[in-house]
Amino acid sequence: MPAQPANVRGRPRIQGSPRASVVDLQHVVRIWTDQQIKTGKVTATKANEFWQKHGSNYLEKIKSYFPIGKDIKEGAATLRLIASELGIMGRYYIKEYRGRPHIIFKGHAGARQFLTGTRYGIQHHKIISLKMTTAGMKAAAKGALVFGILFCTVIDVVNYMTNDRATLGQLFGSIGVDIAKCLIATGAAFATGVGMATLMGTAVVAIGPVVIALFVGVGLSVLLDILDNHFGVTKKLSELCDTGLAKLKNMASDLADSGTATWQQIENSEIVHDLSREAGEWSDWIADRASRVTWHRGWL
């Protein structure tokens, strides 16, 4: 019988049925590292070093830096395309034709593969895709913001659902801080890019606003994560949320108890007893009168 691959120290291997459930997201990382050892892609020593360094907060780092990596990848692709089409210091000019602003490119359009025209409206899909002008940067900022919020929220919700130790306050605190980070970083990047383009006037270095917006967005995202970890903003907000939820629960319980006590007081009050007695007397009187009615065949 072949020998089983060594397991990483301090992490018990899942035994029994292959249907064993995953109790938290860190468990997913443990399963993945065990699988890498089993297939021979990494040694047990390397896997253990990885776990000791990243295992406890691996998914938290994915949540923080995957959207940043996505922005860097897309931004770098845009910069390469602009540089290949216009050159590093290539410029575009903004002029109006028939009352509408257009982007004008100098040079021979036939030498370009993407920007094959000499002028484009500022809402043209090629201009938007290259993040040129306010419209292009606005579209890029909107996409980055939506993706960042959705990605972080999904990670937070899955972590809450699969971690028995997670509280509802931690879920609300994490989502709140993540949304705030996304809004701050994206808003700053957008404002900086638009401000850079505005300062350049009608002759804009094409890659300038994109570079500055990307630098500010990525740098601020990393800085916000560092500050959050240093000052424990997410932890403190989670604790406040837990405290607030506990108070709401106690208030609801007190209201329920108060409502029960009030209803018991009403039930035991003299007014209710008097009304009940009167209702019984009226019921007896009506029944007595009804029993005295004589029905004749001619009435129907």
Side-chain angles (χ1 to χ4, degrees):
M1 183 175 180
Q4 294 294 326
N7 192 23
V8 179
R9 296 192 303 272
R11 305 196 338 271
R13 183 183 296 279
I14 297 177
Q15 302 290 338
S17 170
R19 294 184 179 180
S21 60
V22 177
V23 296
D24 57 34
L25 288 178
Q26 293 183 16
H27 208 162
V28 176
V29 182
R30 292 196 291 266
I31 294 173
W32 178 78
T33 53
D34 280 344
Q35 186 65 26
Q36 302 307 301
I37 297 172
K38 184 176 180 180
T39 56
K41 294 182 179 180
V42 296
T43 64
T45 302
K46 289 292 185 182
N48 183 63
E49 291 176 356
F50 173 84
W51 178 257
Q52 297 297 330
K53 186 176 181 180
H54 303 291
S56 61
N57 59 350
Y58 182 64
L59 288 163
E60 187 68 24
K61 290 183 178 179
I62 290 178
K63 183 185 74 172
S64 298
Y65 296 114
F66 184 83
I68 295 175
K70 178 177 178 293
D71 291 342
I72 292 175
K73 181 179 178 181
E74 293 179 353
T78 300
L79 292 174
R80 284 196 301 269
L81 181 56
I82 294 175
S84 65
E85 293 286 294
L86 305 175
I88 297 296
M89 297 303 296
R91 295 174 177 266
Y92 64 82
Y93 301 84
I94 302 177
K95 291 185 179 181
E96 288 194 1
Y97 284 91
R98 298 178 181 177
R100 294 182 179 180
H102 283 69
I103 302 296
I104 311 299
F105 298 105
K106 300 296 183 180
H108 182 51
R112 299 192 292 263
Q113 296 181 354
F114 184 71
L115 298 171
T116 54
T118 57
R119 68 184 182 189
Y120 294 92
I122 61 173
Q123 297 292 339
H124 194 277
H125 66 90
K126 289 186 178 182
I127 301 301
I128 298 295
S129 67
L130 291 177
K131 303 173 179 60
M132 294 180 177
T133 72
T134 301
M137 285 181 278
K138 182 178 180 180
K142 180 180 178 181
L145 179 63
V146 171
F147 176 83
I149 291 176
L150 289 179
F151 183 82
C152 293
T153 300
V154 168
I155 294 293
D156 290 332
V157 171
V158 172
N159 183 55
Y160 170 74
M161 294 177 65
T162 58
N163 187 352
D164 294 336
R165 296 182 298 274
T167 65
L168 195 59
Q170 290 175 345
L171 173 63
F172 290 157
S174 297
I175 291 177
V177 173
D178 290 337
I179 290 176
K181 290 179 184 177
C182 291
L183 288 171
I184 293 172
T186 305
F190 172 72
T192 307
V194 172
M196 182 75 171
T198 302
L199 290 175
M200 289 183 177
T202 57
V204 181
V205 176
I207 67 170
V210 180
V211 169
I212 192 67
L214 183 62
F215 178 80
V216 170
V218 171
L220 192 54
S221 296
V222 174
L223 178 61
L224 289 172
D225 280 328
I226 293 173
L227 293 175
D228 182 18
N229 294 330
H230 180 74
F231 293 103
V233 178
T234 299
K235 182 179 179 181
K236 291 177 181 178
L237 182 59
S238 298
E239 291 173 352
L240 288 175
C241 290
D242 279 329
T243 302
L245 289 171
K247 289 182 178 180
L248 287 175
K249 184 178 180 180
N250 292 333
M251 288 176 61
S253 179
D254 292 341
L255 287 174
D257 294 341
S258 176
T260 301
T262 301
W263 180 253
Q264 291 176 349
Q265 290 177 357
I266 294 174
E267 282 185 327
N268 298 326
S269 65
E270 293 183 2
I271 296 177
V272 171
H273 284 293
D274 292 342
L275 289 175
S276 178
R277 185 178 64 254
E278 290 289 338
E281 292 176 356
W282 276 100
S283 177
D284 293 340
W285 183 85
I286 292 172
D288 179 65
R289 293 303 181 203
S291 66
R292 298 181 183 182
V293 175
T294 302
W295 298 96
H296 297 282
R297 186 173 297 178
W299 287 8
L300 299 177

